[in-house]
Amino acid sequence: MEYDALLFDIDGTLLDAGKALPGAIETFAWLRQNNFPFKLITNDGNHSLEEKSSYLNKAGFDIRP
């Protein structure tokens, strides 16, 4: 199968209790190395994009709002 892009839920898929889940950071490194588009999604309306990206960066991701 071919995909044009991937969507990732943040909470429970990439992060659990503020820590990156196994393989998540490496997956994003691979996506970036291969110029594969992706977006992050969440149903957490209690935090701004800046706050969410800060949580991800603290866990070891390189994510901008």
Side-chain angles (χ1 to χ4, degrees):
M1 296 182 106
E2 290 188 30
Y3 297 93
D4 295 325
L6 293 173
L7 299 174
F8 293 92
D9 180 39
I10 296 172
D11 299 303
T13 303
L14 300 179
L15 290 178
D16 184 31
K19 295 185 180 178
L21 289 171
I25 293 171
E26 295 82 4
T27 297
F28 282 89
W30 184 92
L31 291 169
R32 285 196 170 105
Q33 287 173 350
N34 290 280
N35 296 314
F36 199 91
F38 64 88
K39 295 283 183 183
L40 304 179
I41 58 176
T42 183
N43 62 352
D44 178 3
N46 295 322
H47 297 96
S48 69
L49 295 175
E50 290 77 14
E51 289 172 313
K52 266 313 199 193
S53 64
S54 175
Y55 298 147
L56 288 159
N57 287 318
K58 287 178 185 174
F61 294 89
D62 179 20
I63 300 293
R64 291 168 193 85

